[in-house]
Amino acid sequence: MSNDIEEFRTYRQRMNDRIMEADHLGIKRFFNLDNAAYRDSALDGKTKELLGLVASAVLRCNDCIDYHLEQCAEAGWNNDELYDALNVALVVGGSIVIPHMRHAFDTIDQLRAEKEGRKE
Amino acid sequence: MSNDIEEFRTYRQRMNDRIMEADHLGIKRFFNLDNAAYRDSALDGKTKELLGLVASAVLRCNDCIDYHLEQCAEAGWNNDELYDALNVALVVGGSIVIPHMRHAFDTIDQLRAEKEGRKE
Amino acid sequence: MSNDIEEFRTYRQRMNDRIMEADHLGIKRFFNLDNAAYRDSALDGKTKELLGLVASAVLRCNDCIDYHLEQCAEAGWNNDELYDALNVALVVGGSIVIPHMRHAFDTIDQLRAEKEGRKE
Amino acid sequence: MSNDIEEFRTYRQRMNDRIMEADHLGIKRFFNLDNAAYRDSALDGKTKELLGLVASAVLRCNDCIDYHLEQCAEAGWNNDELYDALNVALVVGGSIVIPHMRHAFDTIDQLRAEKEGRKE
Amino acid sequence: MSNDIEEFRTYRQRMNDRIMEADHLGIKRFFNLDNAAYRDSALDGKTKELLGLVASAVLRCNDCIDYHLEQCAEAGWNNDELYDALNVALVVGGSIVIPHMRHAFDTIDQLRAEKEGRKE
Amino acid sequence: MSNDIEEFRTYRQRMNDRIMEADHLGIKRFFNLDNAAYRDSALDGKTKELLGLVASAVLRCNDCIDYHLEQCAEAGWNNDELYDALNVALVVGGSIVIPHMRHAFDTIDQLRAEKEGRKE
């Protein structure tokens, strides 16, 4: 039941590097397309990160939730706004989403604690 | 392959009425909770409808997509913003979402055509 | 938005016959295993049909819902019991299940009307 | 590959408390609705816990499986009945459910061992 | 319960054209990436179409199944090979895949009948 | 974030033995059917393992991915072919598959390292 955001970041970075090393054109283009989808365009990037969070929550992927929560916090969404987005995911996706809400709240608290730590 | 937004609205209303008639307390409370999730709170209702749209698209439910597209259009999102949200759903959910994008674009066009018709 | 239980039965029977005709050993064994799963054993068949209904509802498959509703009605579950089972599916699976509840209530009404017709 | 029911309980309780602390009206109402869905009504609570178990298994959520297995054991379902319900989930959901069956059997054994321990 | 492969092709083409017309860079790049994924590379295109078919079947998308069945038939897979691939999808995905097998067998028969018609 | 293929194998074997011990006829028959689906028939077993891998990846099950990667490596698929198959899964299933690609690449590297170790 461990949820360590720093451990996730390290593993994610290491394995993304490994995947890029394999140098598969299709996979590399997909990763680029994925990044591009969250840049400012008709919708601003901040709104799109929230869309990414809710999509990740209803599809029940903790790693994706963690990634988008980090981006959402960077983009300036506050806790009440994140809870409100997660509530939409809960209503759409049902009680099967609840374990992922527990994970998400845990991650939010870790992200805020890190930021507090950096401030001091 | 028919996609008639008016036919969907009629069936949806008739069967929602039928479900309410069954008078099951849990089901009625769920329907209320579902409506409440899209009201203004920490996030405004307009943003939450867009979250509902993306959640519906990645979970690949045409009826839910139609419902949220209608709410999104009412809330004032324009076509480019809706396409941008659907693009996030496409990247998160993959090519399996494409048939639902075809459906969504069809519905968007019908909704705009209706509105044009009402204006004249 | 048509939902005609008799049309479903005819298509289902015709295509199941077509699949059996292909005479693929693995597929035939799977169909047998599927039938066997709902027979009386530690749990009685009546309870297992209700499990099949809820599994079909949270996995959002209308054809599977129709099949299990028919079996559930035959097994003697009344409407209030079926609504109660569908409510569990709704809470577990979320609002994305609602279009399938509309379908299920429609099918239940058709099944009861057929039975009334047969009685007279 | 660890599966420690006691560790799950502790984390679940701590994070549920944390979520309640956030005091989001929609989330709190959803948690209430979720609890209410398994109380005696047209169907008895014992049957509904089994429905919750099968829904959790086909949706492939280990935390939800653990929660419902605990409730099912409390409600008086014996091992053969639980295996029979899990078999329905396996046939409906396919081999992709097998890793969750391994988890479920592990949890069942832990729950029975705990109960034996408490008896002595 | 209609399954008309020609109707599907027409709607698919019309709406894909409509989507391209919207000229969203991300969506256009995704469509290109999707096409590229099935071209000969380390694996030949014929094998990759079969992978696309099985992925579509376990994700339970009839439009995707129809598209990949057409590509698989063009690539030279015979019926027994297609049934064998669908059997893998059935075992992995469970009985919830059965309605999509009925659809797939129907489409296979239509594709073969078309080809017979063209020969004469 | 640990991914230890040997730990997975041990747990998998222990719990499969435990499940067989329960001696449930339906479950035992399902396990047999599952094994049979990957044997040579119209399609050879090597191709079918690749189908199993892609099905596991789009359904996002790490344990199933590990199992099929091991079978695929035994069957003689090389890394570039496995990456190509995973790319199909990525395009079909979307960015939600990325965490499972990280897992898959990690497992592939462990499997190749083991084989190197055995050679020396």
Side-chain angles (χ1 to χ4, degrees):
Chain A
M1 304 268 63
S2 85
N3 172 14
D4 181 326
I5 186 78
E6 188 51 32
E7 189 187 358
F8 162 68
R9 277 188 202 111
T10 307
Y11 185 77
R12 182 178 175 276
Q13 190 57 57
R14 177 160 69 84
M15 291 314 302
N16 280 2
D17 291 348
R18 172 66 190 83
I19 291 172
M20 286 305 106
E21 214 182 276
D23 207 33
H24 186 287
L25 184 61
I27 296 175
K28 286 195 299 184
R29 287 177 65 199
F30 193 99
F31 274 62
N32 284 335
L33 201 52
D34 183 27
N35 283 326
Y38 300 96
R39 290 197 198 112
D40 289 339
S41 49
L43 293 171
D44 55 274
K46 184 180 174 182
T47 300
K48 294 205 273 190
E49 285 298 341
L50 207 63
L51 298 176
L53 173 65
V54 169
S56 302
V58 296
L59 290 174
R60 304 189 279 125
C61 173
N62 280 345
D63 286 3
C64 310
I65 289 171
D66 284 353
Y67 175 74
H68 286 293
L69 276 176
E70 186 150 24
Q71 301 305 112
C72 283
E74 291 291 321
W77 294 109
N78 67 35
N79 282 15
D80 284 334
E81 291 162 333
L82 294 176
Y83 302 157
D84 225 17
L86 290 168
N87 180 50
V88 171
L90 178 63
V91 168
V92 174
S95 69
I96 210 85
V97 173
I98 290 177
H100 304 275
M101 287 201 83
R102 287 195 282 263
H103 184 89
F105 272 74
D106 194 350
T107 295
I108 292 170
D109 288 349
Q110 289 185 47
L111 291 170
R112 300 308 184 191
E114 277 186 347
K115 209 177 163 182
E116 280 306 299
R118 283 204 303 267
K119 269 190 200 157
E120 295 169 67
Chain B
M1 304 264 63
S2 85
N3 172 13
D4 181 328
I5 186 78
E6 188 52 32
E7 190 186 357
F8 162 67
R9 278 189 201 111
T10 307
Y11 185 77
R12 181 177 177 276
Q13 191 58 57
R14 176 161 70 86
M15 292 313 303
N16 279 2
D17 291 350
R18 172 64 190 84
I19 291 172
M20 286 306 105
E21 215 183 277
D23 208 35
H24 186 287
L25 184 62
I27 296 175
K28 287 194 298 183
R29 287 178 65 199
F30 192 98
F31 275 62
N32 285 335
L33 201 51
D34 183 29
N35 283 325
Y38 300 97
R39 290 199 197 110
D40 290 339
S41 50
L43 295 171
D44 55 274
K46 184 181 174 182
T47 300
K48 295 205 273 190
E49 285 298 342
L50 208 63
L51 299 175
L53 173 63
V54 169
S56 300
V58 296
L59 290 174
R60 304 190 278 126
C61 172
N62 281 345
D63 285 3
C64 310
I65 288 171
D66 284 353
Y67 175 75
H68 285 294
L69 277 176
E70 186 151 23
Q71 301 305 111
C72 282
E74 292 289 321
W77 294 108
N78 67 35
N79 282 15
D80 285 334
E81 291 163 333
L82 295 176
Y83 302 156
D84 226 17
L86 291 169
N87 181 51
V88 171
L90 178 62
V91 168
V92 174
S95 70
I96 209 84
V97 172
I98 291 178
H100 304 276
M101 286 202 83
R102 287 195 282 264
H103 184 90
F105 272 74
D106 194 351
T107 296
I108 291 171
D109 288 349
Q110 289 186 48
L111 291 169
R112 300 308 184 190
E114 275 186 351
K115 209 178 165 180
E116 281 305 300
R118 281 205 302 266
K119 269 189 197 158
E120 296 170 63
Chain C
M1 306 266 56
S2 85
N3 173 12
D4 181 327
I5 187 78
E6 188 52 31
E7 190 187 357
F8 163 68
R9 278 188 202 112
T10 307
Y11 185 77
R12 181 177 177 277
Q13 191 57 57
R14 177 161 70 85
M15 290 314 303
N16 279 3
D17 291 349
R18 172 64 190 84
I19 290 171
M20 286 304 106
E21 215 182 276
D23 207 35
H24 186 287
L25 184 61
I27 296 175
K28 286 194 298 183
R29 287 177 65 200
F30 192 98
F31 274 62
N32 284 335
L33 201 51
D34 183 28
N35 283 325
Y38 300 96
R39 291 198 197 110
D40 289 341
S41 49
L43 294 171
D44 55 274
K46 184 181 175 182
T47 300
K48 294 205 273 190
E49 285 298 341
L50 208 63
L51 298 176
L53 173 64
V54 168
S56 301
V58 296
L59 290 175
R60 304 189 280 126
C61 172
N62 281 346
D63 285 3
C64 310
I65 289 171
D66 284 354
Y67 175 74
H68 285 293
L69 277 175
E70 186 151 23
Q71 302 305 111
C72 282
E74 291 290 321
W77 294 109
N78 67 34
N79 282 15
D80 284 334
E81 291 162 333
L82 294 176
Y83 302 157
D84 225 17
L86 290 169
N87 180 51
V88 171
L90 178 62
V91 167
V92 174
S95 69
I96 210 84
V97 172
I98 291 178
H100 304 275
M101 287 201 82
R102 287 194 283 264
H103 184 89
F105 272 74
D106 194 351
T107 296
I108 292 170
D109 288 348
Q110 289 186 48
L111 291 169
R112 299 309 184 192
E114 276 185 349
K115 209 178 166 180
E116 280 306 300
R118 283 205 301 267
K119 268 187 198 160
E120 295 169 65
Chain D
M1 304 268 60
S2 85
N3 172 13
D4 181 327
I5 187 78
E6 189 52 32
E7 190 187 357
F8 162 67
R9 277 189 201 110
T10 308
Y11 185 77
R12 181 178 176 276
Q13 190 58 56
R14 177 161 70 84
M15 291 313 304
N16 279 2
D17 291 349
R18 172 65 189 83
I19 291 172
M20 286 304 106
E21 214 182 276
D23 207 34
H24 186 286
L25 184 61
I27 296 174
K28 287 195 298 184
R29 286 177 64 200
F30 193 98
F31 275 63
N32 285 335
L33 201 51
D34 183 28
N35 283 326
Y38 300 97
R39 289 196 199 112
D40 290 340
S41 48
L43 294 171
D44 55 275
K46 183 180 175 183
T47 300
K48 294 206 273 190
E49 284 298 341
L50 208 63
L51 298 175
L53 173 64
V54 168
S56 301
V58 295
L59 291 174
R60 304 189 279 126
C61 172
N62 280 345
D63 285 4
C64 310
I65 288 171
D66 284 353
Y67 175 73
H68 286 293
L69 276 176
E70 186 150 24
Q71 300 306 110
C72 281
E74 291 291 321
W77 294 108
N78 68 34
N79 282 15
D80 285 334
E81 291 162 333
L82 294 176
Y83 303 157
D84 225 17
L86 290 169
N87 181 50
V88 171
L90 178 62
V91 168
V92 175
S95 69
I96 210 84
V97 172
I98 291 178
H100 304 276
M101 286 201 83
R102 288 194 282 263
H103 184 89
F105 272 74
D106 194 350
T107 296
I108 292 171
D109 288 349
Q110 289 186 49
L111 291 169
R112 300 309 184 190
E114 277 186 349
K115 209 177 164 180
E116 280 306 300
R118 284 203 303 265
K119 269 189 199 157
E120 296 169 68
Chain E
M1 305 264 61
S2 86
N3 172 14
D4 181 327
I5 186 79
E6 188 52 32
E7 190 187 358
F8 162 67
R9 279 188 200 112
T10 307
Y11 186 77
R12 182 177 176 276
Q13 191 57 57
R14 177 161 69 84
M15 291 314 302
N16 279 2
D17 291 348
R18 172 65 190 84
I19 290 171
M20 286 305 106
E21 214 182 277
D23 207 35
H24 186 286
L25 184 61
I27 296 175
K28 286 194 299 184
R29 287 177 65 198
F30 193 98
F31 275 62
N32 285 335
L33 201 52
D34 183 27
N35 283 325
Y38 300 97
R39 290 198 197 111
D40 289 340
S41 51
L43 294 171
D44 55 274
K46 184 181 174 182
T47 300
K48 294 205 273 190
E49 284 298 341
L50 207 63
L51 298 175
L53 173 64
V54 168
S56 301
V58 295
L59 290 174
R60 303 189 280 126
C61 172
N62 281 345
D63 286 3
C64 311
I65 288 170
D66 284 353
Y67 175 74
H68 286 292
L69 277 176
E70 186 150 23
Q71 301 306 111
C72 282
E74 292 290 320
W77 293 109
N78 67 34
N79 282 16
D80 284 334
E81 292 162 333
L82 294 176
Y83 303 157
D84 226 17
L86 290 169
N87 181 50
V88 171
L90 178 63
V91 168
V92 175
S95 69
I96 210 85
V97 172
I98 290 178
H100 304 275
M101 287 201 83
R102 287 194 283 263
H103 184 89
F105 272 73
D106 194 351
T107 295
I108 292 171
D109 288 349
Q110 289 186 48
L111 290 170
R112 299 308 184 191
E114 276 186 348
K115 209 178 165 180
E116 280 305 300
R118 283 205 301 266
K119 269 189 200 157
E120 296 170 65
Chain F
M1 305 265 65
S2 83
N3 172 14
D4 181 327
I5 186 77
E6 189 51 33
E7 190 187 357
F8 162 68
R9 278 189 202 110
T10 308
Y11 185 77
R12 181 177 176 277
Q13 191 57 57
R14 176 161 69 84
M15 291 313 303
N16 279 2
D17 291 349
R18 173 63 190 83
I19 290 172
M20 285 305 105
E21 214 182 277
D23 207 34
H24 186 286
L25 183 62
I27 296 175
K28 287 194 298 183
R29 287 178 64 200
F30 193 99
F31 275 62
N32 285 335
L33 201 51
D34 183 28
N35 283 326
Y38 299 97
R39 291 198 198 111
D40 290 339
S41 49
L43 295 171
D44 55 275
K46 184 180 175 183
T47 300
K48 295 205 272 190
E49 284 299 340
L50 208 63
L51 298 175
L53 173 64
V54 169
S56 301
V58 297
L59 291 174
R60 305 189 278 127
C61 172
N62 280 345
D63 285 4
C64 310
I65 289 171
D66 284 354
Y67 175 74
H68 285 293
L69 277 176
E70 186 150 25
Q71 301 305 111
C72 282
E74 292 290 321
W77 294 109
N78 67 35
N79 282 16
D80 285 334
E81 291 163 333
L82 294 176
Y83 302 158
D84 226 18
L86 290 169
N87 180 50
V88 171
L90 178 62
V91 168
V92 174
S95 70
I96 210 85
V97 171
I98 290 178
H100 304 276
M101 286 201 84
R102 287 194 283 264
H103 184 90
F105 271 73
D106 194 350
T107 296
I108 292 171
D109 288 349
Q110 289 186 48
L111 291 170
R112 300 308 184 190
E114 276 186 349
K115 209 177 164 181
E116 280 305 300
R118 283 204 303 266
K119 270 191 199 154
E120 295 169 68

